[in-house]
């Protein structure tokens, strides 16, 4: 060890002042893993370990005394290196003595060596020395370059364009995909070029703004814009990120670029398609509205004329022909309504209301309107509502009734003999407060449907067999409309059928539970009939079962018989045992012995005590009612029986009232129908047939009418005369009803008396009523005009505007049925 030290000290060195506190131990310097050397104030090497010999190729003897910058620093970096040394040796460097630097050194043989220098003062006196650790970074550089190359190779395999730029936007790196995109041989050819040169002037400002925000915030940003490349417009999406060096300083941007032309064009095509679809839907709605007007306007004349003709004297043959024509006109109106309903559903314009209604009443009303059709074919029509089904619900009773009418009407149409039965029950609980799901089923004993055809019947304009359209008529829209209505009510519809065995249509719908404000009145009525013994006489087992269940739910004691003779036997046994019946509910039409014959037998029997009798008829109600009155039968109802009517009739029998006009209703009594006083009415209508028809209807109600052919004529008539009410057709030439109404309302702002205006329109699309009211009309009357609806709307409007009456309001009462 001592020999080595002596040898080192014996080597000639430049004169310098040596700090005795610093002693160089050569052996310890050789143990360092990095090159170590010591420099004096002139930058000459005073110590040189073996690792320095290996790194730079200079033996210690050749290196000692040489200037460091001249020996191992590349010529172009010598000035930078010397300045760094001088700065560190200044007194002001004492507070931060250590410094790192990266320089490009050189080997004795001339090849370049990347070096990381760690500089520190070995003596802090004024004549101190500078210690230098020099680490060969060749391996690290090669590793970094290799990693960067591998990264670039990976990026070149991307299916999207990627590039890096400096802070000025010049390409530093671009992958192969970007080179192909710009039609150059490789991404390297883009190096040094500014990427903004490829974009339109309109997009450059947006690009600058986006890159500037990334630079300020350091957050990734997405941009979308267009470029024109080789004469072709291309849409591009950029995801821009900030690139930083090892010290965290921003040095450029990294950009992942995607060609989104196909997606953008697809979006544009979709937008065009949506716009076209909306335009088509609007055109369709306008077409339907126009068609509705064009068809309903002449149909209004047909239906109204037939209605007026029925009030004239005519022969039986003439009346029969008139009834046939009226039925055909009503059938045509039903077809038009089906088509309009289907079109409104398809266009998403069908509106639902939410009101409280009594479920059993809605079901009964739907069946009652079809009862005559069923009875004419000799069919039994009945309904059965389970006890657990809520009586009152919140929903749209009109739409529910529409579905029932379609299904029951179809059942009657395709059933030649037997019965049509509607059942209502609760299939399952439904989640949600007060929410209830109701299940309906409509069963018949008709012709049935083949299994392979059952999937087609819910398609629009389709029927299971094309021949059925000719045999039974119809548009094929009823089931399609029903399916869509059921779906809109939160349910589904299905069919179960076998040819020759009949069909069962089932559907469900969601409703909210109602409050049932009338329950107390019903409960009070049930108290009166509780415990009464009732004999039900009907040859139809379904009807017997339904009536038994209903009467038992009212705490009555029902018993049933399937024929008149069986009923007489049961009554005789009951009388013999001193347990006679309090009431008899008998069907009018039964084989062998009908209801009237049974009543005769009861009345003429000396062994049977007197009993109250109610007749249920499914034949001609008027003739049956007349015979009931002649025979002194207490009550008579048409089948299917509404529960409220049956309950009222039973109470009426109990109170010994006779005649249906004396039945105590459970609902608040309605006021009698009293006509409004004679009014002077302005009628604006361009169609001559409809003019004459409306005049006849209004004059029949006792009013005087002045006609105007269009809106402009109507305004002129108003300048000449004072009117109590105006009917204004919506579609008229020169000036339509909406424009005329707006002009009238504008004049009234000057202090004129309000003129009630009723819109007459053949439009029947959703929102037409609201549209007319928004235009200044007071009410709305669709065509074809019904005389009862005409009378009701007059009373409704006059009641709402009593100041317009020529007489006091006390003389005006709204007709029955007017809300």
């Amino acid at each position: 060890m001592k020999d080595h030290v002596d040898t080192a000290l014996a080597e000639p060195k430049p004169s310098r002042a040596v700090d005795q506190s610093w002693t160089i131990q050569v052996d310890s310097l050789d143990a360092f893993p990095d090159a170590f050397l010591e420099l004096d104030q002139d930058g000459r090497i005073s110590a040189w370990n073996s690792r320095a010999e290996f790194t730079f190729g200079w033996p210690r003897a050749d290196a000692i005394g040489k200037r460091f910058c001249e020996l191992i620093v590349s010529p172009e970096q010598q000035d930078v290196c010397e300045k760094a040394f001088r700065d560190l040796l200044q007194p002001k460097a004492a507070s931060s003595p250590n410094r790192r630097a990266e320089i490009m050194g050189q080997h004795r043989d001339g090849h370049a060596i990347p070096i990381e220098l760690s500089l520190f003062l070995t003596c802090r006196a004024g004549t101190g020395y500078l210690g230098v650790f020099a680490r060969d970074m060749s391996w690290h550089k090669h590793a970094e370059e290799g990693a960067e190359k591998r990264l670039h190779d990976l990026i070149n395999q991307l299916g999207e364009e990627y590039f890096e730029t400096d802070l000025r936007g010049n390409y530093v790196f671009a992958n192969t995909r970007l080179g192909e995109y710009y039609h150059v041989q490789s991404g390297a050819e883009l190096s040094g070029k500014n990427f903004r040169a490829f974009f339109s002037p309109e997009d450059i400002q947006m690009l600058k703004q986006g890159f500037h925000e990334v630079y300020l915030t350091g957050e990734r940003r997405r941009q979308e814009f267009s470029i024109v490349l080789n004469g072709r417009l291309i849409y591009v999406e950029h995801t821009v990120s900030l690139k930083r060096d090892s010290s965290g300083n921003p040095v450029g941007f990294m950009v992942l670029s995607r060609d989104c032309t196909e997606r953008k064009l697809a979006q544009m095509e979709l937008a065009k398609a949506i716009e076209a679809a909306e335009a088509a839907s609007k055109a369709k709605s306008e077409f339907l509205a126009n068609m509705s007007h064009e068809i309903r306007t002449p149909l209004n004349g047909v239906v109204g004329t037939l209605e007026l003709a029925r009030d004239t004297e005519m022969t039986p043959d003439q009346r029969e022909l008139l009834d046939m024509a009226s039925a055909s006109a009503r059938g045509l109106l039903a077809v038009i309504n089906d088509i309009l309903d289907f079109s409104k559903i398809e266009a998403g314009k069908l509106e639902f209301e939410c009101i409280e209604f009594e479920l059993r009443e809605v079901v009964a009303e739907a069946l009652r309107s079809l009862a005559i059709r069923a009875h004419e074919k000799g069919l039994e029509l009945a309904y059965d509502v389970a006890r657990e089904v809520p009586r009152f619900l919140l929903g749209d009773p009109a739409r529910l009734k529409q579905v029932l009418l379609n299904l029951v009407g179809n059942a009657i149409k395709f059933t030649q003999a037997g019965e049509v039965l509607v059942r209502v029950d609760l299939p399952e609980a439904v989640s949600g407060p007060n929410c209830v799901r109701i299940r309906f089923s409509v069963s018949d004993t008709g012709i049935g449907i083949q299994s392979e055809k059952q999937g087609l019947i819910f398609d629009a304009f389709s029927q299971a067999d094309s021949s059925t359209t000719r045999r039974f008529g119809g548009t094929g829209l009823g089931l399609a409309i029903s399916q869509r209505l059921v779906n809109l009510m939160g349910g589904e519809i299905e069919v179960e059928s076998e040819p020759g065995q009949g069909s069962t249509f089932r559907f469900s719908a969601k409703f909210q539970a109602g409050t049932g404000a009338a329950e107390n009145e019903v409960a009070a009525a049930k108290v009166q009939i509780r415990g009464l013994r009732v004999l039900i006489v009907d040859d139809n087992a379904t009807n017997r079962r339904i009536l038994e269940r209903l009467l038992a739910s009212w705490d009555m004691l029902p018993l049933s018989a399937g024929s008149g003779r069986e009923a007489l036997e049961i009554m005789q046994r009951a009388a013999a045992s001193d347990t006679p019946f309090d009431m008899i509910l008998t069907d009018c039409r039964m084989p062998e012995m009908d209801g009237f014959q049974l009543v005769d037998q009861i009345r003429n029997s000396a062994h049977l005590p007197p009993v109250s009798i109610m007749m249920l008829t499914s034949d001609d109600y008027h003739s049956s009612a007349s015979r009931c009155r002649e025979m002194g039968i207490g009550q008579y109802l048409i089948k299917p029986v509404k529960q409220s009517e049956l309950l009222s009739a039973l109470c009426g029998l109990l109170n010994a009232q006779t005649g249906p006009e004396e039945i105590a209703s459970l609902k608040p009594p309605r006021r009698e129908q009293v006509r409004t006083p004679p009014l002077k009415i302005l009628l604006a209508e361009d169609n001559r047939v409809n003019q004459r028809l409306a005049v006849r209807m209004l004059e029949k109600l006792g009013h005087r009418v002045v006609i105007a052919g269009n809106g402009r004529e109507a305004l002129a008539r108003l300048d000449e005369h004072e009117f109590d009410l105006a009917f204004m057709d919506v579609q008229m030439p020169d000036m339509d009803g909406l424009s005329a109404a707006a002009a009238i309302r504008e004049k009234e702002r000057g202090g004129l008396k309000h003129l009630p205006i009723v819109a007459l329109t053949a439009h029947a699309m959703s929102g037409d009523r609201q549209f007319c009211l928004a235009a200044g009309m007071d009410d709305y009357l669709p065509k074809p005009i019904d005389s009862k609806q005409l009378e009701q709307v007059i009373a409704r409007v006059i009641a709402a505007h009593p100041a317009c009456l020529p007489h006091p309001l006390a003389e005006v009462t709204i007709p029955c049925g007017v809300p």
Side-chain angles (χ1 to χ4, degrees):
M1 167 72 75
K2 186 176 182 301
D3 294 339
H4 290 294
V5 174
D6 291 341
T7 302
L9 295 175
E11 293 177 352
K13 297 179 178 62
S15 60
R16 58 173 178 162
V18 179
D19 189 337
Q20 297 301 322
S21 65
W22 173 260
T23 303
I24 302 174
Q25 300 293 329
V26 176
D27 286 345
S28 60
L29 295 179
D30 287 342
F32 290 154
D34 295 325
F36 175 80
L37 51 146
E38 185 186 53
L39 306 179
D40 61 15
Q41 291 183 340
D42 294 329
R44 296 182 182 276
I45 299 171
S46 59
W48 185 265
N49 70 352
S50 59
R51 187 65 184 178
E53 292 182 347
F54 175 80
T55 300
F56 298 107
W58 293 95
R60 183 183 293 113
D62 294 337
I64 296 298
K66 300 292 195 311
R67 293 181 62 81
F68 170 80
C69 292
E70 295 176 357
L71 184 67
I72 62 173
V73 178
S74 60
E76 60 272 12
Q77 289 192 329
Q78 288 182 6
D79 293 340
V80 176
C81 186
E82 294 228 13
K83 182 178 184 303
F85 292 160
R86 286 196 300 271
D87 291 343
L88 188 60
L89 291 172
Q90 295 300 318
K92 66 180 181 179
S95 61
S96 55
N98 298 325
R99 177 174 297 179
R100 290 181 180 274
E102 290 185 3
I103 64 170
M104 186 59 67
Q106 63 180 5
H107 195 270
R108 182 176 183 178
D109 60 13
H111 74 267
I113 305 172
I115 296 179
E116 180 185 71
L117 299 179
S118 295
L119 311 177
F120 59 94
L121 292 174
T122 60
C123 180
R124 300 191 182 279
T127 57
Y129 303 95
L130 184 65
V132 181
F133 282 104
R135 176 172 294 179
D136 186 350
M137 301 299 293
S138 299
W139 184 86
H140 294 279
K141 292 295 184 183
H142 287 311
E144 288 179 1
E145 291 173 358
E148 185 175 3
K149 182 178 183 304
R150 287 192 297 273
L151 178 61
H152 286 175
D153 289 342
L154 181 61
I155 292 174
N156 282 328
Q157 301 302 317
L158 286 175
E160 298 172 341
E161 296 78 26
Y162 174 84
F163 62 90
E164 298 176 4
T165 72
D166 59 18
L167 294 176
R168 295 181 176 274
N170 298 314
Y171 284 109
V172 175
F173 169 78
N175 70 347
T176 304
R177 176 76 177 179
L178 187 68
E180 295 173 353
Y181 197 70
Y182 289 139
H183 299 284
V184 296
Q185 303 243 336
S186 66
E189 294 186 30
L190 298 172
S191 182
K193 297 180 180 178
N194 195 290
F195 81 98
R196 297 188 188 95
F198 296 94
F199 297 94
S200 62
E202 294 79 10
D203 292 326
I204 289 177
Q205 186 61 35
M206 183 183 70
L207 284 168
K208 287 182 177 179
Q209 180 66 26
F211 276 65
H212 185 64
E213 290 180 5
V214 172
Y215 180 81
L216 292 178
T217 64
E219 298 178 355
R220 184 183 295 109
R221 179 181 173 85
R222 181 173 295 177
Q223 294 178 296
E224 190 174 291
F225 42 83
S226 61
I227 63 174
V228 177
L229 189 61
N230 298 323
R232 176 171 169 258
L233 181 65
I234 298 173
Y235 293 92
V236 179
E237 181 185 84
H238 276 178
T239 301
V240 185
S241 302
L242 191 63
K243 184 180 180 181
R244 302 178 184 272
D245 61 14
S246 58
S247 301
N249 299 315
V251 294
F253 300 98
M254 299 178 292
V255 182
L256 182 64
S257 179
R258 297 182 182 90
D259 185 340
C260 58
T261 304
E262 291 185 5
R263 175 173 60 81
K264 193 70 175 180
L265 293 177
Q267 289 176 346
M268 295 169 64
E269 289 297 324
L270 179 60
K272 290 180 181 178
I274 293 174
E275 184 179 354
E278 290 175 348
S281 177
K282 181 180 179 182
K284 177 181 176 182
S285 298
E286 291 176 352
F287 172 77
L288 289 171
N290 290 333
M291 287 301 297
S292 171
H293 179 270
E294 295 301 323
I295 295 174
R296 285 173 178 268
T297 297
L299 190 59
N300 176 59
V302 173
V303 173
T305 303
L306 293 173
E307 183 178 343
L308 290 174
R310 289 172 63 94
D311 296 333
T312 62
E313 294 184 4
M314 62 185 72
T315 65
D317 289 341
Q318 290 173 332
R319 183 169 296 280
E320 182 180 0
L321 293 173
L322 193 64
D323 289 342
M324 293 170 58
S326 181
S328 298
R330 296 292 178 184
L332 178 59
L333 183 60
V335 171
I336 294 171
N337 289 335
D338 274 353
I339 294 174
L340 290 175
D341 270 347
F342 181 76
S343 301
K344 284 187 283 186
I345 294 172
E346 290 291 292
K349 295 186 176 182
L350 193 68
E351 295 179 351
F352 280 75
E353 61 179 349
C354 185
I355 60 175
E356 186 170 79
F357 64 94
E358 189 174 352
L359 178 61
R360 290 168 177 82
E361 292 294 300
V362 171
V363 175
E365 288 172 5
L367 270 63
R368 178 67 63 82
S369 64
L370 298 169
I372 295 178
R373 285 175 53 189
H375 298 159
E376 286 175 348
K377 299 180 70 172
L379 303 177
E380 286 289 345
L381 184 60
Y383 70 96
D384 182 16
V385 182
R387 291 188 61 178
E388 62 271 16
V389 175
R391 182 177 178 188
F392 295 95
L393 298 173
L394 285 172
D396 193 329
R399 295 304 176 188
L400 173 60
K401 186 177 179 181
Q402 184 176 358
V403 176
L404 290 172
L405 286 172
N406 276 331
L407 296 180
V408 176
N410 267 1
I412 295 172
K413 181 192 300 184
F414 297 109
T415 302
Q416 300 304 316
E419 65 180 24
V420 175
L421 174 63
V422 176
R423 288 190 175 91
V424 185
D425 60 11
L426 291 175
E428 58 186 14
V430 180
S431 60
N434 299 324
C435 188
V436 59
R437 182 187 296 276
I438 308 294
R439 180 172 59 191
F440 303 82
S441 65
V442 179
S443 303
D444 62 62
T445 56
I447 61 176
I449 306 170
Q450 297 177 0
S451 57
E452 63 271 15
K453 300 292 185 180
Q454 293 176 14
L456 303 176
I457 60 175
F458 294 106
D459 294 340
F461 307 104
S462 297
Q463 292 187 343
D465 184 350
S466 60
S467 65
T468 61
T469 304
R470 296 189 297 272
R471 290 170 56 198
F472 300 100
T475 61
L477 281 176
L479 290 178
I481 293 173
S482 297
Q483 183 186 51
R484 285 159 173 78
L485 289 177
V486 168
N487 291 340
L488 291 172
M489 289 189 288
E492 296 180 350
I493 189 169
E494 60 183 8
V495 61
E496 180 182 328
S497 180
E498 290 185 16
Q501 301 297 317
S503 304
T504 298
F505 285 82
R506 297 185 181 88
F507 73 92
S508 61
K510 289 182 180 180
F511 301 95
Q512 296 293 321
T515 59
E519 282 290 354
N520 292 334
E521 298 177 14
V522 176
K526 291 179 182 178
V527 171
Q528 301 181 52
I529 59 175
R530 181 178 299 164
L532 296 181
R533 290 172 52 81
V534 183
L535 178 61
I536 301 166
V537 187
D538 198 317
D539 63 308
N540 185 274
T542 301
N543 282 334
R544 294 197 304 270
R545 184 174 63 253
I546 293 172
L547 286 172
E548 280 183 5
R549 186 183 305 163
L550 178 60
L551 297 181
S553 71
W554 293 342
D555 295 328
M556 301 180 76
L557 303 175
L559 192 65
S560 62
S563 67
R565 296 192 183 280
E566 183 183 356
L568 290 172
E569 294 175 359
I570 293 174
M571 291 181 69
Q572 289 172 357
R573 289 196 298 268
S577 62
D578 200 23
T579 56
F581 289 96
D582 300 299
M583 296 181 184
I584 304 294
L585 269 65
T586 179
D587 187 20
C588 174
R589 187 183 63 181
M590 293 183 292
E592 297 182 7
M593 180 186 294
D594 64 23
F596 294 110
Q597 293 172 330
L598 174 62
V599 173
D600 280 336
Q601 292 280 351
I602 294 173
R603 296 275 175 84
N604 295 328
S605 175
H607 303 288
L608 296 177
V611 64
S612 298
I613 299 174
M614 179 187 299
M615 185 71 72
L616 305 179
T617 176
S618 56
D619 292 317
D620 184 356
Y621 176 78
H622 298 287
S623 62
S624 298
S626 177
R627 191 171 177 185
C628 285
R629 285 193 296 269
E630 292 174 0
M631 297 181 66
I633 296 174
Q635 302 287 352
Y636 44 90
L637 298 175
I638 190 171
K639 296 166 66 177
V641 180
K642 295 173 65 175
Q643 291 188 21
S644 61
E645 292 179 348
L646 179 59
L647 185 58
S648 298
L650 291 172
C651 292
L653 279 178
L654 186 63
N655 296 324
Q657 295 176 337
T658 58
E661 67 278 359
E662 297 177 0
I663 295 177
S665 173
L666 299 180
K667 298 182 179 179
R670 296 181 296 181
R671 288 175 290 178
E672 294 183 359
Q673 177 176 337
V674 180
R675 286 188 177 182
T676 57
L679 303 175
K680 187 173 183 180
I681 296 176
L682 173 64
L683 172 66
E685 168 68 66
D686 63 306
N687 185 279
R688 292 189 177 275
V689 174
N690 288 335
Q691 285 178 359
R692 295 179 61 185
L693 176 63
V695 169
R696 290 286 298 274
M697 287 184 171
L698 290 170
E699 288 179 345
K700 187 177 177 181
L701 296 174
H703 306 299
R704 291 179 298 157
V705 185
V706 175
I707 298 175
N710 56 47
R712 202 169 300 282
E713 289 184 17
L715 294 178
R717 298 291 185 272
L718 287 171
D719 291 336
E720 300 168 359
H721 306 281
E722 184 175 350
F723 294 92
D724 304 311
L725 177 65
F727 282 91
M728 198 79 65
D729 187 24
V730 171
Q731 284 193 333
M732 294 184 291
D734 194 12
M735 177 183 282
D736 60 32
L738 298 177
S739 301
I744 293 171
R745 297 297 179 237
E746 185 64 30
K747 287 185 177 182
E748 291 175 352
R749 292 179 182 174
L752 295 178
K753 184 178 72 172
H754 179 83
L755 174 67
I757 304 175
V758 177
L760 288 177
T761 175
H763 289 181
M765 299 300 287
S766 175
D768 285 334
R769 175 184 178 87
Q770 290 74 12
F771 188 68
C772 292
L773 297 180
M777 308 281 194
D778 294 280
D779 215 314
Y780 168 95
L781 185 62
K783 298 178 181 178
I785 299 174
D786 181 84
S787 59
K788 292 182 180 179
Q789 292 180 351
L790 178 64
E791 187 175 6
Q792 290 173 1
V793 76
I794 292 175
R796 191 162 59 237
V797 170
I798 293 302
H801 302 281
C804 303
L805 274 174
H807 304 287
L809 182 59
E811 300 183 16
V812 182
T813 305
I814 299 177
C816 298
V818 179

